[in-house]
Amino acid sequence: MGVKEKLSVMQIPSILVLGFVYVAYVLIGGVVFWKLEGDLGMKDVSYLRENKERLLSTYPCLNQAGLEAVAQVVKDTSKVGLSLKSNYTADGFWKFTSSAVFAATVVTTIGYGNICPSTTGGQIFCVFFALFGIPLNIVVLNRVGKYILAIERNISDFFEKKTSRKTCTRFFIHFVCYICGAVLFFIMPMIVFKQQEDWTNAEAIYYCFISLSTIGFGDFVADSNPDKYYPDWYSFLIASWIFFGMAWLALVINHSIEILERLNNYFKKQFKKNDNQQGDEADGTADKNPETQMEEEDEITQPPVTEST
């Protein structure tokens, strides 16, 4: 068996372990969501059924077919971004600023789902637009992330030259950059969304992470409430925040992956080192005599020789 075959065979157990951890992690998450949201979901279903029965009893002229027709009108109205609460008529989702934000959500693969093209031409264009826009977005985000990382490393190198503790300095610079990024892409947007959307702090932070991580559930979407008037700068601010925030969060995730890989390599080296030491000790105890043991102890106790620079 060659070296490559041995390495491939040795990697199989680690792959199985990672697969087991991944499946277990997903299943544990499903159980937690099931316990947290399952009971509330059943309460919501029963509450909606009671409201339906109350609505039909309050308005006897409205039968099941009429209720379904009203629900379809409400669904179609909300789908295009219009409001039924007042006589105020908005421009809908497909104004220029909202369309630009939608284009940004397409190339960034967020895909909230609250707005989507309904015409044949729009759907076909969306396919080709995403086909070329997604790779372009990845390339640009990588370049922006590398540029941000270069700035961070230059700052770190500058302060490392001023101090003697390079490891502590680099850790401190990374920590400060993480804090500044969290303030810029989470705390400040949270304040803006709280004012413009009337969200709570938890809802705003939740929306920020779901958007920047490209999960994009669509339960909370900024600049999409038809009962509110949004200034034009708001859409531009959201598009810019999504782009730079995704670049920063991708950089943080890459740093986290790098840290995990370094820890994995460190523990592997320590494990191999311990195995080698145990093997050497087992082989050397029978061959060593008291004189050689005394010579090795003298070498260990002697201070290391430092070269003058």
Side-chain angles (χ1 to χ4, degrees):
M1 184 180 292
V3 178
K4 293 184 178 179
E5 288 78 4
K6 291 181 179 179
L7 291 176
S8 61
V9 172
M10 291 174 62
Q11 289 177 356
I12 292 177
S14 63
I15 294 174
L16 294 177
V17 171
L18 288 176
F20 176 77
V21 172
Y22 178 80
V23 174
Y25 187 80
V26 172
L27 293 178
I28 291 173
V31 171
V32 173
F33 285 124
W34 176 40
K35 293 298 182 181
L36 292 177
E37 302 291 338
D39 295 337
L40 182 61
M42 294 302 297
K43 292 180 181 179
D44 291 338
V45 170
S46 60
Y47 177 74
L48 290 175
R49 287 177 179 174
E50 293 177 359
N51 284 343
K52 175 186 174 182
E53 298 297 333
R54 189 181 300 109
L55 183 64
L56 292 175
S57 61
T58 304
Y59 302 97
C61 58
L62 186 65
N63 55 12
Q64 181 66 28
L67 180 62
E68 293 177 358
V70 172
Q72 186 64 37
V73 171
V74 174
K75 180 180 178 181
D76 295 338
T77 304
S78 61
K79 190 175 181 179
V80 297
L82 299 179
S83 176
L84 294 175
K85 292 183 178 181
S86 61
N87 294 327
Y88 171 73
T89 302
D91 295 332
F93 282 144
W94 293 110
K95 56 184 180 181
F96 173 72
T97 53
S98 299
S99 300
V101 174
F102 169 76
T105 59
V106 170
V107 297
T108 56
T109 68
I110 296 177
Y112 290 120
N114 66 315
I115 174 175
C116 56
S118 57
T119 62
T120 303
Q123 292 172 350
I124 295 175
F125 175 76
C126 183
V127 171
F128 289 98
F129 179 75
L131 183 63
F132 294 98
I134 292 174
L136 177 62
N137 177 74
I138 294 174
V139 171
V140 175
L141 284 180
N142 287 333
R143 291 293 180 87
V144 173
K146 290 180 180 179
Y147 185 75
I148 296 174
L149 182 60
I151 295 175
E152 181 181 345
R153 286 179 177 175
N154 290 333
I155 296 174
S156 179
D157 293 338
F158 174 78
F159 283 101
E160 284 179 5
K161 294 178 180 178
K162 303 293 183 181
T163 59
S164 58
R165 299 180 179 179
K166 294 183 179 181
T167 304
C168 295
T169 303
R170 180 166 296 183
F171 174 79
F172 179 75
I173 295 299
H174 287 321
F175 180 75
V176 171
C177 291
Y178 288 157
I179 296 298
C180 293
V183 172
L184 183 61
F185 296 111
F186 281 90
I187 304 302
M188 294 180 63
M190 178 193 71
I191 298 173
V192 175
F193 292 141
K194 185 178 180 181
Q195 294 178 351
Q196 295 292 332
E197 305 290 344
D198 293 332
W199 293 341
T200 62
N201 293 332
E203 292 172 346
I205 290 291
Y206 167 78
Y207 168 75
C208 290
F209 181 80
I210 294 300
S211 298
L212 297 184
S213 60
T214 70
I215 297 175
F217 290 126
D219 49 352
F220 291 93
V221 181
D223 194 19
S224 63
N225 190 348
D227 297 321
K228 289 183 176 294
Y229 173 77
Y230 299 103
D232 293 334
W233 58 265
Y234 187 57
S235 299
F236 176 77
L237 181 65
I238 292 175
S240 302
W241 166 74
I242 288 175
F243 177 77
F244 291 102
M246 283 182 60
W248 174 80
L249 188 59
L251 183 63
V252 173
I253 293 175
N254 289 332
H255 276 178
S256 301
I257 294 174
E258 183 179 357
I259 292 172
L260 291 176
E261 289 179 350
R262 288 184 178 181
L263 289 175
N264 186 26
N265 294 331
Y266 174 77
F267 286 120
K268 282 184 177 180
K269 291 180 179 178
Q270 292 295 324
F271 181 75
K272 291 180 179 179
K273 184 178 179 181
N274 293 331
D275 288 343
N276 294 331
Q277 288 180 354
Q278 291 177 0
D280 294 339
E281 290 177 356
D283 295 336
T285 50
D287 298 331
K288 286 183 180 180
N289 52 33
E291 294 180 357
T292 56
Q293 290 180 0
M294 291 295 295
E295 290 177 358
E296 290 180 358
E297 290 176 359
D298 292 336
E299 291 177 358
I300 295 173
T301 56
Q302 290 178 356
V305 180
T306 58
E307 295 180 359
S308 60
T309 57

